[in-house]
Amino acid sequence: MLIAQITDLHYRIDGVRLFDAVDAHGALVNAVKHLEALTPRPDAVIVTGDLVNDGDDEDYAALAGLLSRLPMPVYPIPGNHDRRDLMRRHLSFTGVLPADGPLRYAVEDHPVRLIGLDTLVEGQDGGRIGGAQLRWLDDTLSAAPERPTLVFLHHPPFRTGIGFMDAIMLEDCDALADVVARHGHVEVVACGHVHRAIQTRFAGTIAMIAPGTAHHVALDIAENNPAAWIAEPPACLLHLWRPGNGIVSHISYIGDHGPSMLFG
Ligand SMILES: [Fe+2]
Ligand SMILES: [Fe+2]
């Protein structure tokens, strides 16, 4: 099974540039084309939050038009820039978003179980899972201990060293670690939010952050650095699972970055 992960689309409609610089519409068009052209084709696409930048209705409508073109199932969760009501309204085609409450769910249709969490706290940039959702996660993981599972959430539950992003990380990271540590079948905890590819050991498994499909956070490892954004090659993650081999995660760059084959 191949699971593609795209994140932090920060979508705005065609013709509007984020910060007068980033063509988020063009970036998503490129990401969709990339996913459509991959061989083998991913079996599912998880979208780990910050789907749009400003929470506008027209942005969600256009975003839905692009994501619904994908021939494989699409599983979105919210980030701090998102709105639950508009996600429910425009992304119902995904078939996974609950009618009320947090936008969290388990997908049972694949060899790898996919569990999406909702870390959105309206009105703030940092994230929180909350006690009720953590109990749901514990119960949901307990229900199928034999099945390899990928847990995805927007806010990473670990410090990256990039100070201004660590200030808005997941608040209840220790409580999440307590739950995940009880379930050895969690293969990967996959996140977004930091717009960079970053990995760490976490609660007996691996936690990773996917690079963004639009703009990136500058690699400035300092405690008190100012927020800084940079244009780097957009990319997604491809989580490959094969029986007996766990999950292996690859970075797949989007777009043309030079000759396709230097040797051979
Ligand atoms: Fe983001
Ligand atoms: Fe975010």
Side-chain angles (χ1 to χ4, degrees), residues 28-117:
L28 181 55
V29 168
N30 291 340
V32 167
K33 283 184 192 161
H34 182 76
L35 294 170
E36 287 174 327
L38 283 170
T39 306
R41 181 174 275 178
D43 299 290
V45 176
I46 59 177
V47 193
T48 46
D50 286 356
L51 310 180
V52 304
N53 194 68
D54 294 334
D56 286 350
D57 190 73
E58 63 177 353
D59 290 334
Y60 279 107
L63 170 95
L66 289 169
L67 291 181
S68 62
R69 274 178 34 188
L70 287 166
M72 68 289 281
V74 175
Y75 305 125
I77 53 167
N80 48 300
H81 284 259
D82 289 306
R83 282 184 45 183
R84 292 188 184 92
D85 56 340
L86 295 180
M87 283 182 64
R88 278 190 243 275
R89 183 183 309 164
H90 291 289
L91 300 178
S92 59
F93 73 89
T94 62
V96 290
L97 300 179
D100 49 37
L103 298 177
R104 50 103 178 114
Y105 49 85
V107 180
E108 312 286 0
D109 306 347
H110 308 284
V112 175
R113 209 161 172 237
L114 304 173
I115 297 181
L117 299 177

Side-chain angles (χ1 to χ4, degrees), residues 147-192:
R147 296 189 59 198
T149 300
L150 186 154
V151 174
F152 55 107
L153 69 165
H154 180 69
H155 294 82
F158 62 93
R159 292 186 192 286
T160 63
I162 300 173
F164 83 94
M165 291 303 298
D166 289 346
I168 55 171
M169 63 182 278
L170 186 74
E171 288 175 13
D172 43 3
C173 49
D174 293 340
L176 175 63
D178 288 344
V179 172
V180 170
R182 287 198 282 275
H183 301 281
H185 58 297
V186 176
E187 297 278 344
V188 174
V189 175
C191 312

